[in-house]
């Protein structure tokens, strides 16, 4: 699915990432853990093709998109990637159905069964009957379900989730993680950033970031202190 080789990233004088090497296989569910400020967002912004200014090489599906123009990039992001955020980022004046429809409106993929596609993801995330509701009429967990449905409606290869349970209580977090697990079992590759080790347990593999460096297990982070 993707391969990161020796990636580095600086903000001015500040080194946010260094010597990052990471491979994610098709069908994996990877959790990225690390304290606040360790570089998690910086890394997933690169993986999600939101940031093109880094050193080293990033291949997504064997392709290097570093020199691709912004128009093409947003097309690729829309067609191949799905994003889920801590604060859901739903459009507040759009209904559940309309929020989920948005990626399909911008997609160049041929979809002649849009309605069925939307209904099938609504069913998948357990929101049948809520199509006409506004986000403000839903609980946090339900809003995150809408966001997940929106992220997968284009059938992306890769879903990137940044603290998807960060705003949810632990019971709701578990329900959301069950949805991610089911999604992964259906073949979607998932990369998730989390602070919560219980949430990370739902992933197949966890890597750790500390001060802009990536570690494959917690022990090697501690050995570096
Ligand atoms: P995390 O997601 O793990 O909290 P970030 O990737 O957001 O960490 O940030 C890593 C480090 O880079 C932090 O020290 C942060 O302050 C810094 N940083 C992030 N974005 C910028 C930016 N646009 N300009 C300057 N420093 C930044
Ligand atoms: P997160 O929840 O990922 O830790 P942050 O609050 O660290 O989010 O960062 C939110 C946004 O602010 C990110 O887009 C990041 O790039 C930017 N940012 C973080 N730290 C800095 C900084 N020191 N200077 C400028 N922008 C920053």
């Amino acid at each position: 699915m993707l391969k990161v080789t020796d990636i580095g990233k600086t903000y001015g004088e500040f080194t946010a990432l260094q010597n990052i090497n990471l491979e994610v296989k098709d069908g994996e569910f990877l959790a990225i853990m690390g304290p606040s400020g360790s570089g998690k967002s910086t890394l997933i912004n690169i993986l999600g093709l939101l940031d093109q200014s880094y050193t080293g090489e990033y291949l997504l599906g064997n392709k290097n998109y570093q020199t691709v123009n912004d128009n093409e990039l947003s097309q690729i992001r829309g067609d191949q990637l799905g994003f889920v955020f801590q604060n859901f980022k739903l459009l507040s004046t759009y209904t559940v159905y309309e929020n989920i429809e948005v990626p399909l409106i911008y997609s160049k993929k041929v979809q002649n069964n849009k309605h069925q596609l939307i209904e099938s993801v609504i069913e998948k995330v357990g929101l049948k009957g809520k199509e006409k509701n506004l986000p403000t009429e839903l609980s946090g967990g339900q809003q995150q379900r809408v966001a997940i449905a929106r992220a997968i409606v284009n059938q992306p290869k890769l879903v990137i989730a940044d603290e998807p349970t960060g705003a949810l209580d632990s019971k709701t977090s578990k329900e959301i993680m069950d949805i991610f697990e089911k999604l992964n079992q259906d073949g979607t590759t998932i990369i998730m950033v989390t602070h919560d080790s219980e949430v990370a347990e739902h992933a197949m593999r966890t890597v750790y970031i500390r001060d802009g460096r990536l570690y494959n297990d917690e022990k090697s982070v501690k050995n570096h202190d």
Side-chain angles (χ1 to χ4, degrees):
M1 173 65 57
L2 64 84
K3 190 166 185 218
V4 165
T5 310
D6 201 20
I7 275 196
K9 167 81 188 176
T10 55
Y11 294 110
E13 302 271 281
F14 179 76
T15 300
L17 294 176
Q18 57 182 321
N19 301 113
I20 304 287
N21 291 289
L22 176 68
E23 195 165 349
V24 178
K25 305 247 186 261
D26 287 357
E28 264 206 273
F29 183 173
L30 177 75
I32 302 176
M33 292 194 74
S36 191
S38 56
K40 303 182 298 296
S41 299
T42 302
L43 177 59
I44 60 169
N45 285 346
I46 293 170
L47 301 183
L49 303 175
L50 293 160
D51 180 359
Q52 301 290 86
S53 65
Y54 54 84
T55 58
E57 185 183 64
Y58 171 39
L59 300 178
L60 176 63
N62 284 321
K63 278 187 77 171
N64 188 332
Y65 293 102
Q66 201 167 17
T67 56
V68 168
N69 71 43
D70 285 352
N71 265 346
E72 240 177 291
L73 270 183
S74 45
Q75 200 66 51
I76 290 155
R77 275 200 301 270
D79 287 347
Q80 302 196 16
L81 307 176
F83 293 91
V84 178
F85 307 94
Q86 175 169 356
N87 300 318
F88 325 130
K89 297 201 185 180
L90 301 176
L91 298 168
S92 59
T93 59
Y94 281 42
T95 65
V96 166
Y97 187 97
E98 289 163 348
N99 267 283
I100 298 168
E101 189 178 24
V102 169
L104 295 177
I105 295 169
Y106 292 102
S107 176
K108 284 212 179 83
K109 276 187 191 172
V110 183
Q111 314 275 22
N112 38 29
N113 53 346
K114 283 187 184 179
H115 180 69
Q116 260 173 295
L117 218 46
I118 294 168
E119 284 302 331
S120 81
V121 292
I122 285 176
E123 178 125 32
K124 213 173 243 183
V125 299
L127 283 178
K128 229 173 153 31
K130 299 284 180 197
E131 287 85 347
K132 293 191 171 134
N133 284 92
L134 291 169
T136 47
E137 297 168 329
L138 304 178
S139 68
Q142 289 173 326
Q143 290 184 52
Q144 195 59 300
R145 288 168 190 261
V146 179
I148 293 170
R150 178 184 57 186
I152 61 173
V153 72
N154 252 331
Q155 297 156 295
K157 293 186 199 163
L158 173 65
V159 169
I160 295 180
D162 192 354
E163 296 276 8
T165 61
L168 305 174
D169 63 58
S170 57
K171 180 170 168 284
T172 310
S173 295
K174 203 187 157 296
E175 290 166 7
I176 292 298
M177 291 320 300
D178 288 343
I179 295 174
F180 276 108
E181 268 189 48
K182 212 166 66 191
L183 203 62
N184 176 243
Q185 281 157 12
D186 290 346
T188 306
T189 307
I190 301 172
I191 297 179
M192 169 182 73
V193 162
T194 181
H195 273 98
D196 186 336
S197 51
E198 261 178 55
V199 166
E201 272 171 25
H202 291 264
M204 289 161 59
R205 176 161 74 104
T206 301
V207 294
Y208 301 83
I209 296 198
R210 187 72 167 273
D211 298 331
R213 288 177 178 274
L214 193 75
Y215 301 89
N216 284 319
D217 55 64
E218 233 166 338
K219 231 166 59 204
S220 54
V221 178
K222 288 185 182 130
N223 289 343
H224 259 263
D225 282 344

